[in-house]
Amino acid sequence: MAFILTEEQTLLRETAQKFFNEQVPVADFRNLRDSEDAKGYNPALWQQMAELGFAGILVDGEYGGIGCGAQEMGIVCQEAGRTLAATPLFSTAVLGAGLIGAAGSPAQKQSLLPKIASGETLTALALEETAHHAPAQVALDAKKSGAGYTLSGEKRFVMDGHIADKIIVAA
């Protein structure tokens, strides 16, 4: 099967390639690693990515995104990966935006998706409970408690959990 990019996808790839090569070279990853920065990413760089629309690729236009799909997000992720760009792109723009867009309530979509698309809100997904990836075996329990929920159990590795404004918890 031939994979041929549309004109818009080609432009997106060229934009992402230029941005990551010029603004986030591999040397930036090494410098970030060596500095032992607690955040693990550059917030100003993330804001530039949001201004280019990268944070809102999977967010529908009605919520301030550009409403594209997985192919377009894959193009941006591929270019980010070429330079080892340390950003919350996957945890926020892929997982957060994707999950909220697919399963969030109308109120959650209205309040969170515009902030994700603008780069204002970072998300993380709390999924893993063991040392082995087993997303279908979630044991964490959520019981209704007043206006919210009480969680009982534990999650292990939460990618970008230390910088997230909102954490989506699988229960």
Side-chain angles (χ1 to χ4, degrees):
M1 174 173 133
F3 183 70
I4 300 171
L5 299 178
T6 65
E7 189 175 323
E8 291 83 10
Q9 290 170 333
T10 300
L11 180 60
L12 177 63
R13 184 189 70 208
E14 290 168 355
T15 301
Q17 189 175 54
K18 181 178 181 193
F19 175 78
F20 288 110
N21 285 337
E22 292 178 3
Q23 301 298 320
V24 200
V26 174
D28 280 11
F29 175 76
R30 292 185 186 115
N31 291 337
L32 189 63
R33 175 200 63 199
D34 295 342
S35 73
E36 298 182 17
D37 183 288
K39 287 184 180 177
Y41 82 107
N42 179 336
L45 179 73
W46 175 245
Q47 199 55 51
Q48 288 178 312
M49 291 173 65
E51 289 168 10
L52 285 170
F54 297 164
I57 288 176
L58 296 180
V59 176
D60 288 338
E62 68 183 293
Y63 301 113
I66 58 175
C68 290
Q71 284 184 313
E72 289 78 12
M73 183 55 81
I75 290 167
V76 173
C77 287
Q78 181 178 25
E79 296 306 325
R82 290 184 197 280
T83 65
L84 304 175
T87 72
L89 180 67
F90 186 71
S91 61
T92 296
V94 176
L95 294 176
L99 288 168
I100 294 165
S105 70
Q108 289 168 331
K109 290 177 185 180
Q110 191 66 44
S111 69
L112 295 172
L113 291 177
K115 292 179 181 177
I116 289 172
S118 71
E120 180 183 339
T121 294
L122 301 179
T123 64
L125 172 62
L127 175 65
E128 304 300 338
E129 296 179 357
T130 68
H132 302 286
H133 180 65
Q137 298 175 6
V138 173
L140 186 127
D141 191 41
K143 292 208 185 301
K144 188 83 170 141
S145 174
Y149 290 86
T150 299
L151 301 177
S152 177
E154 69 179 78
K155 295 295 182 180
R156 301 284 175 153
F157 175 73
V158 179
M159 179 179 20
D160 291 334
H162 68 293
I163 58 169
D165 301 300
K166 300 288 182 184
I167 298 178
I168 300 165
V169 181

